[in-house]
Amino acid sequence: MRVGLLTGGGDCPGLNAVIRAVVRKGIEVHDWDLVGFRSGWQGPMTGDSRPLGLDDVEDILDRGGTILGSSRTNPYKEDGGAEAIKKTLAEESVDALVAIGGEDTLGVANRLGEDGVNVVGVPKTIDNDLDATDYTFGFDTAVHIATEAIDRLRTTAESHHRALVVEVMGRHAGWIALHSGLAGGANVILVPEREFDVEQVVEWVERRFERMYAPIIVVAEGAVPVGGAEVLHSGERDAFGHVRLGGVGQWLAEEIADRTGKESRAVVLGHTQRGGTPTAYDRVLATRFGLQAVDAVAEGDFGAMVALRGTDIVRVKLADATAKLKTVPEDRYTEAQVFFG
């Protein structure tokens, strides 16, 4: 059997651990041939591939990013894109495809499955916003990186008695903001799921200053003020229709400075949250996903995605996995508010 792999969408720590697990089990247990497609869905569209053997995955467990490269290519936005993928798979005698990615990558995988391609999905996103799985690998590492940044920023904020606004990733879901904000002891946490009142934020900030401490505000890039709109870094849209967000942290820092008269600074963590060595948790979860994806392929359970439920790895339908996003529920956010101010 010949099995292909690809990694699509934004990169994150743990992708190489999945690749390693699929290659090792595929070869050692099933004696499969493995082929990797470069740059997400662009690889099978254009026939850009490479063989994957045991030596290719020997030392990649602790490496961030992906040895296969990635992109936000959407074959259903390209003329003849899906047909080109089918042609490539046929020409390279690929019997099944393991697609590793988030909602967009797996959404394409689901459509290809409906079009007759044998595909199994593996969930990946630092935003942790896929509803069908309790956690996605990459999230734990991103939270650790953001938490460490908050810890470091707190000391300089206290030294200069200034407010610091930390902007983290999170377009539609505020899981990184919530978890890193709680772990880092932030005084305000703002998420996309709930519009924020600038006056309330200022009240929390001033309360912190009154106690002679410097406030730390963690804000997800997709957070929106009451009656306002998302702050855009660019109005351009990618192949999946997403605009590039960014700037809410700077906007909020300026509002805080204007309304309190206190010095305020913004720090945008950006892609530092995606890079570097994956945590032990993400390495283990990614490895377990990869091993179970091999089982799904071996059993012919195509159109499925592996998922974490509790401590077990289960399978769900790709159609269900990409049906909706997992967002921060109201009670989780309200629970955190006791620490605000």
Side-chain angles (χ1 to χ4, degrees):
M1 190 173 191
R2 188 168 170 83
V3 177
L5 293 88
L6 65 83
T7 54
D11 68 291
C12 80
L15 285 167
N16 286 323
V18 180
I19 296 169
R20 173 178 176 267
V22 172
V23 171
R24 291 199 58 155
K25 188 169 185 177
I27 293 175
E28 299 282 12
V29 176
H30 298 287
D31 196 27
W32 291 345
D33 289 328
L34 280 300
V35 57
F37 290 100
R38 296 184 176 94
S39 303
W41 290 114
Q42 183 178 328
M45 272 180 56
T46 61
D48 188 3
S49 66
R50 55 170 288 188
L52 290 173
L54 294 177
D55 289 344
D56 297 305
V57 300
E58 179 63 33
D59 59 352
I60 66 172
L61 180 62
D62 60 345
R63 287 171 57 181
T66 164
I67 63 170
L68 295 179
S70 189
S71 74
R72 297 190 183 278
T73 302
N74 183 351
Y76 286 96
K77 291 291 185 179
E78 302 286 340
D79 187 26
E83 293 305 316
I85 289 176
K86 293 180 186 179
K87 181 180 179 182
T88 296
L89 297 180
E91 290 177 346
E92 299 211 18
S93 300
V94 173
D95 302 296
L97 188 63
V98 176
I100 311 163
E103 58 169 321
D104 295 326
T105 300
L106 296 181
V108 171
N110 181 53
R111 291 187 65 178
L112 286 171
E114 293 173 346
D115 289 342
V117 175
N118 294 333
V119 61
V120 168
V122 175
K124 171 267 348 169
T125 167
I126 66 169
D127 290 332
N128 197 41
D129 59 0
L130 280 172
D131 187 62
T133 182
D134 289 348
Y135 284 97
T136 52
F137 66 87
F139 172 67
D140 188 68
T141 303
V143 169
H144 272 68
I145 292 169
T147 301
E148 182 180 8
I150 293 167
D151 291 342
R152 291 178 180 275
L153 291 167
R154 184 177 299 284
T155 58
T156 186
E158 296 288 358
S159 297
H160 293 275
H161 309 291
R162 60 167 63 117
L164 268 175
V165 180
V166 184
E167 182 181 318
V168 300
M169 285 185 169
R171 174 181 296 274
H172 301 299
W175 292 107
I176 294 177
L178 181 67
H179 281 238
S180 65
L182 282 172
N187 308 108
V188 182
I189 301 170
L190 306 175
V191 297
E193 292 86 345
R194 181 169 176 172
E195 291 184 338
F196 64 88
D197 184 344
V198 178
E199 289 296 336
Q200 177 64 77
V201 173
V202 169
E203 181 182 324
W204 283 323
V205 167
E206 289 181 327
R207 189 187 309 170
R208 185 71 176 170
F209 275 128
E210 287 171 2
R211 296 173 58 199
M212 303 302 293
Y213 290 104
I216 299 290
I217 301 94
V218 176
V219 56
E221 62 185 350
V224 176
V226 174
E230 295 172 327
V231 179
L232 305 183
H233 182 280
S234 168
E236 296 181 2
R237 296 182 180 272
D238 65 19
F240 293 94
H242 302 309
V243 292
R244 185 177 174 188
L245 300 180
V248 66
Q250 183 60 43
W251 177 86
L252 184 57
E254 292 173 359
E255 287 290 318
I256 291 172
D258 290 343
R259 295 173 188 238
T260 65
K262 299 287 188 178
E263 190 176 1
S264 183
R265 293 284 188 275
V267 176
V268 181
L269 297 187
H271 286 76
T272 59
Q273 296 157 90
R274 290 193 182 280
T277 301
T279 60
Y281 180 87
D282 278 342
R283 296 186 205 188
V284 172
L285 179 58
T287 297
R288 294 183 70 198
F289 277 164
L291 295 175
Q292 292 295 326
V294 170
D295 289 346
V297 172
E299 295 168 18
D301 191 6
F302 302 119
M305 184 193 83
V306 294
L308 179 69
R309 295 284 176 84
T311 58
D312 298 325
I313 306 297
V314 300
R315 297 177 203 164
V316 298
K317 292 181 179 179
L318 269 171
D320 295 336
T322 56
K324 65 176 182 177
L325 293 178
K326 178 178 65 183
T327 55
V328 176
E330 182 68 21
D331 61 337
R332 288 288 299 276
Y333 187 75
T334 302
E335 183 181 64
Q337 283 187 306
V338 70
F339 298 106
F340 291 5

